[in-house]
Amino acid sequence: MRDVLAAWRPVIDEEIERLLPRETGADYATSFFGPPTYDYDATAIQHALSDPVWALLDRGGKRWRAVVCCLLIEGFGADPHEYLPYACIPEILHNGTIIVDDVEDGATMRRGESALHHEFGTDVALNAGNAMYFFPLKIVSRDPADLAPDTRLAIYEMLMHELNRTHLGQGMDIHWHNQQAIEISEQQYLEMCACKTGCLGRIVARLATILTDQPEEVEHHAARYAELMSIAFQIGDDILDVETATEAGGAFGKGIGNDVREGKKTLMAIHAAREADPERAARLEELLWADENSTEEIAEVITIFEETDSVAYARECALDIATEARDHLAELDLADEPAENLADFTRFVVERDV
Amino acid sequence: MRDVLAAWRPVIDEEIERLLPRETGADYATSFFGPPTYDYDATAIQHALSDPVWALLDRGGKRWRAVVCCLLIEGFGADPHEYLPYACIPEILHNGTIIVDDVEDGATMRRGESALHHEFGTDVALNAGNAMYFFPLKIVSRDPADLAPDTRLAIYEMLMHELNRTHLGQGMDIHWHNQQAIEISEQQYLEMCACKTGCLGRIVARLATILTDQPEEVEHHAARYAELMSIAFQIGDDILDVETATEAGGAFGKGIGNDVREGKKTLMAIHAAREADPERAARLEELLWADENSTEEIAEVITIFEETDSVAYARECALDIATEARDHLAELDLADEPAENLADFTRFVVERDV
């Protein structure tokens, strides 16, 4: 899967650059957004939109959302190159959510550099992040693949469904951050992931099925595959955060043990709070709740996770969810090679080390 | 027009409350957003969505966007009560932009109380503000007026057009905030207003024309009416900010002279920078650029505006734009009473004192 991701990445980036060039101007603004009523300030649009978007994209990211969309389209027997602008929709949305989430969480770092709102200011970064919510949706009405009106409507209604639930998921996650007690059920945790991360996955899959005109049942299985894979990806991310911190020993830099610093109620935290004796569970809640954590305190949280086998438990859950994702994938009648890559990806998201 | 606004306000609020009740629960979340994959945390949704939205709505606001939409629908001979959920779309969008703008501007006050991100925290407020961008768009696919698919698609494509340009306008405004030199043409200033404020107005009008199936030319005139009125409203707002500060003499409280404090490049600032002698113009740029302004400095800015007759100039522009708005209104074949109210409203936006 790594090879497939590496091969597709420049193709996706080239397409995003076609949609939003690094150097824009009044002509670009007119062609993409429509003519001005009076007169655009092209410099302002460059600084407010193109600069921050590319500053983030150039820092990396795997573009897996666009790649999975392309692989699904290919699996359904269509040519993904005909639908590249659509495959970029979830990718741009995702990068927009990163900027907004970092403002919400007060994050300082992103992909090894300053968070966008630290580099560009909260005003520019946040407006760019929000523009990245609507910019990709405009692609559908620009209609590069000459879709039937019903298809365009189906895409919009799908997007509105999923993007609303994204905000429910983020709302749940934020609310839990702001509570000291860990009183979340696993079903609620999984729902948060299904909304916050899963909905973007569902957009990836449902775009592919709507674009290639698949029946409802196929759309259902494809969406569930992508949703479950996204949940497994999220849990994998949480595990990675703890493991990197563990391997780093006492030498934590910025960006290591972030979930603990932020007091994130991960599956590991929920499991540990349930399994630890009451005193240790209360200590865990206290450490996650604290505004600041020392290196020792982060190590203490990890020790509590180890005492309760919480990392192993989370990995087991992620593996089960990845298996469930593959079951849904198997219900789709996909071409062999993309099907194998898509199945392979459900393993990658749990076992990856980056 | 004041009476019309006062009469409609409870009707609009009741409708918004039907769409997003003050007290939500898992049943509500399921019915509005669809069933959960696992299990919603109803408490989290209440705290993350309903509480902040109603905290803002209960502080006031004229709801004129919803009212103008209803008056236009009535003017076209249809019953606005059949389309109330749609009339709430621009109103909810507008209140969402308020929350987001306040985070972007680092505002401390809103409608006489703490800005939402100060009351609820940046994370909750911002997520709620962004949820208010997508929540109203979901109304279209819920389809309360049983619209034809083509009509729903037309609404989505219209919304994506306007909401993209909203972010261009905000991007221009932010970029100008961040520059000391006032090098903006009036055409660019009007474009910023047309994008940032005007697009929401255009949504108001275009919803009314699409819902009542008006021909393209009618949609064009209605949209221009609402766009121009929104620009006049924005300029009126800027004038009001200066006049309130002037009338208050030296006794400025928080929330007075805000545009000067924020370094906003209003039409008055652009005019004054152009008309003042170079030394005074440079002093104006310096004062607007400063991070903090004393009471004396705000008074000094206002003096420069007075020396250059900039307030009178801005009022003249706003009146001209309001007249132009009425010209477009006159092109529409509207029922008499709503037509009179809509024309009246173009006067109200320039002459209002609240």
Side-chain angles (χ1 to χ4, degrees):
Chain A
M1 186 65 189
R2 269 173 223 281
D3 295 348
V4 178
L5 284 172
W8 271 101
R9 195 177 184 280
V11 180
I12 301 302
D13 281 0
E14 211 172 281
E15 187 59 39
I16 297 177
E17 203 170 339
R18 223 188 314 268
L19 295 165
L20 178 61
R22 286 168 190 277
E23 301 298 326
T24 60
D27 288 351
Y28 164 77
T30 299
S31 76
F32 195 92
F33 299 104
T37 307
Y38 301 91
D39 197 3
Y40 285 133
D41 179 349
T43 312
I45 292 171
Q46 175 72 31
H47 286 292
L49 190 60
S50 190
D51 287 351
V53 171
W54 280 105
L56 178 62
L57 290 176
D58 282 337
R59 292 182 187 182
K62 289 176 272 296
R63 316 283 190 260
W64 69 260
R65 290 167 186 83
V67 178
V68 167
C69 187
C70 288
L71 293 179
L72 279 167
I73 290 171
E74 195 187 349
F76 291 127
D79 179 1
H81 294 89
E82 282 180 29
Y83 299 105
L84 280 179
Y86 302 90
C88 295
I89 292 174
E91 200 56 56
I92 301 169
L93 287 170
H94 164 66
N95 280 280
T97 65
I98 281 181
I99 299 176
V100 175
D101 285 5
D102 281 350
V103 174
E104 289 174 359
D105 297 342
T108 54
M109 302 289 287
R110 170 58 63 178
R111 292 178 185 159
E113 298 177 40
S114 286
L116 265 271
H117 61 285
H118 282 278
E119 184 173 341
F120 289 88
T122 298
D123 49 3
V124 172
L126 188 49
N127 186 59
N130 276 177
M132 289 163 87
Y133 288 178
F134 291 106
F135 176 87
L137 307 191
K138 175 86 178 162
I139 293 168
V140 183
S141 52
R142 287 170 58 85
D143 197 19
D146 201 13
L147 304 172
D150 277 1
T151 308
R152 272 143 55 207
L153 178 60
I155 293 176
Y156 275 126
E157 300 202 328
M158 177 275 285
L159 286 165
M160 293 314 137
H161 178 77
E162 304 298 349
L163 290 171
N164 267 284
R165 293 192 68 223
T166 305
H167 287 84
L168 286 192
Q170 177 72 349
M172 286 165 71
D173 200 19
I174 287 170
H175 177 67
W176 299 339
H177 274 225
N178 296 337
Q179 309 297 313
Q180 178 164 357
I182 304 176
E183 291 169 335
I184 309 148
S185 72
E186 275 184 28
Q187 292 292 299
Q188 288 173 332
Y189 174 80
L190 293 174
E191 183 63 28
M192 183 276 286
C193 294
C195 287
K196 182 176 161 168
T197 318
C199 284
L200 266 172
R202 291 175 60 90
I203 288 173
V204 167
R206 295 181 71 188
L207 272 173
T209 57
I210 296 171
L211 286 167
T212 58
D213 202 19
Q214 303 298 320
E216 208 173 304
E217 213 195 307
V218 172
E219 187 171 343
H220 163 73
H221 285 297
R224 273 296 277 158
Y225 155 76
E227 179 180 40
L228 288 160
M229 192 175 64
S230 304
I231 298 172
F233 185 91
Q234 181 62 59
I235 299 174
D237 225 37
D238 297 345
I239 294 173
L240 202 58
D241 189 73
V242 169
E243 288 195 328
T244 318
T246 309
E247 282 161 19
F252 303 150
K254 256 193 181 170
I256 292 185
N258 266 341
D259 293 349
V260 174
R261 286 181 212 275
E262 285 176 21
K264 225 172 128 180
K265 307 296 192 290
T266 62
L267 190 54
M268 289 165 289
I270 295 167
H271 180 263
R274 194 178 59 209
E275 297 297 320
D277 64 55
E279 197 184 311
R280 294 293 277 165
R283 176 68 180 151
L284 175 66
E285 289 181 340
E286 186 188 354
L287 288 166
L288 291 177
W289 175 245
D291 278 341
E292 299 287 335
N293 290 116
S294 67
T295 304
E296 291 72 28
E297 286 171 338
I298 294 178
E300 193 180 343
V301 169
I302 294 172
T303 304
I304 299 175
F305 287 172
E306 281 167 357
E307 288 165 5
T308 50
D309 277 332
S310 296
V311 177
Y313 176 81
R315 191 188 310 281
E316 205 55 46
C317 283
L319 287 169
D320 287 350
I321 289 167
T323 304
E324 203 187 332
R326 283 194 296 279
D327 291 346
H328 284 281
L329 191 65
E331 297 288 328
L332 304 173
D333 187 23
L334 297 177
D336 288 347
E337 201 186 311
E340 276 163 32
N341 280 320
L342 289 165
D344 192 27
F345 199 49
T346 63
R347 294 181 191 95
F348 168 78
V349 294
V350 184
E351 288 157 16
R352 73 211 156 89
D353 52 10
V354 283
Chain B
M1 185 65 190
R2 270 173 222 280
D3 294 348
V4 178
L5 284 171
W8 271 101
R9 195 178 185 278
V11 179
I12 302 302
D13 281 0
E14 210 172 284
E15 187 59 39
I16 297 177
E17 204 170 340
R18 223 188 314 268
L19 295 166
L20 177 61
R22 287 168 190 277
E23 301 296 327
T24 59
D27 287 351
Y28 164 76
T30 298
S31 77
F32 195 91
F33 299 105
T37 307
Y38 301 92
D39 198 1
Y40 286 132
D41 179 349
T43 311
I45 293 171
Q46 174 72 33
H47 286 291
L49 191 60
S50 190
D51 287 351
V53 171
W54 280 104
L56 179 61
L57 290 175
D58 282 337
R59 292 182 188 182
K62 288 176 271 296
R63 314 282 189 261
W64 68 259
R65 291 168 185 82
V67 177
V68 167
C69 187
C70 288
L71 292 179
L72 278 167
I73 290 171
E74 193 186 350
F76 292 127
D79 179 0
H81 294 89
E82 281 179 29
Y83 300 104
L84 280 179
Y86 302 89
C88 294
I89 293 175
E91 201 54 57
I92 300 170
L93 286 170
H94 164 68
N95 280 280
T97 66
I98 282 181
I99 298 177
V100 175
D101 286 6
D102 281 350
V103 174
E104 289 175 359
D105 297 343
T108 53
M109 301 288 287
R110 171 59 63 180
R111 292 178 185 158
E113 299 178 39
S114 285
L116 264 271
H117 61 286
H118 282 279
E119 182 173 344
F120 289 87
T122 299
D123 50 3
V124 172
L126 188 49
N127 186 60
N130 276 178
M132 289 163 86
Y133 287 178
F134 291 106
F135 176 88
L137 307 191
K138 175 85 179 163
I139 293 168
V140 182
S141 51
R142 286 170 58 85
D143 197 19
D146 201 14
L147 304 172
D150 277 2
T151 308
R152 271 142 56 206
L153 178 61
I155 293 176
Y156 275 125
E157 300 202 328
M158 177 276 283
L159 286 166
M160 294 312 136
H161 179 78
E162 303 299 348
L163 290 171
N164 266 284
R165 293 192 68 223
T166 304
H167 287 84
L168 286 192
Q170 176 73 350
M172 286 165 70
D173 199 19
I174 287 171
H175 177 68
W176 299 340
H177 273 226
N178 296 337
Q179 309 297 315
Q180 177 164 359
I182 302 175
E183 291 170 333
I184 308 148
S185 72
E186 274 184 30
Q187 291 294 298
Q188 288 173 332
Y189 174 80
L190 293 174
E191 183 63 29
M192 182 276 287
C193 294
C195 287
K196 184 176 160 166
T197 318
C199 284
L200 266 172
R202 291 175 58 90
I203 289 173
V204 167
R206 295 182 71 190
L207 272 174
T209 58
I210 296 171
L211 287 167
T212 57
D213 201 20
Q214 303 298 320
E216 209 172 304
E217 212 196 305
V218 172
E219 188 170 343
H220 162 75
H221 285 298
R224 276 294 279 158
Y225 155 76
E227 180 180 39
L228 288 159
M229 191 175 64
S230 303
I231 298 172
F233 185 90
Q234 180 63 59
I235 299 174
D237 225 36
D238 297 345
I239 294 172
L240 202 56
D241 189 74
V242 170
E243 287 195 328
T244 316
T246 309
E247 282 161 20
F252 300 152
K254 256 193 179 168
I256 292 185
N258 266 341
D259 293 348
V260 174
R261 286 180 212 275
E262 286 176 21
K264 226 172 128 180
K265 309 295 193 291
T266 61
L267 190 55
M268 289 166 288
I270 295 167
H271 180 263
R274 193 179 60 210
E275 298 298 320
D277 65 55
E279 197 184 313
R280 293 293 275 165
R283 176 67 180 151
L284 176 65
E285 288 181 341
E286 186 188 355
L287 289 166
L288 291 178
W289 175 244
D291 279 341
E292 298 287 334
N293 290 116
S294 66
T295 304
E296 290 71 28
E297 286 170 338
I298 294 178
E300 193 179 345
V301 169
I302 293 171
T303 305
I304 299 175
F305 288 172
E306 280 167 357
E307 288 165 6
T308 49
D309 276 334
S310 297
V311 176
Y313 177 80
R315 190 188 311 279
E316 205 55 47
C317 283
L319 287 169
D320 287 350
I321 290 168
T323 304
E324 203 186 332
R326 283 193 297 280
D327 291 346
H328 285 281
L329 191 66
E331 297 288 327
L332 304 173
D333 187 23
L334 297 177
D336 288 347
E337 200 185 315
E340 276 162 35
N341 280 319
L342 289 165
D344 193 28
F345 200 48
T346 65
R347 294 180 191 94
F348 168 77
V349 296
V350 185
E351 289 157 16
R352 73 211 156 89
D353 52 8
V354 283

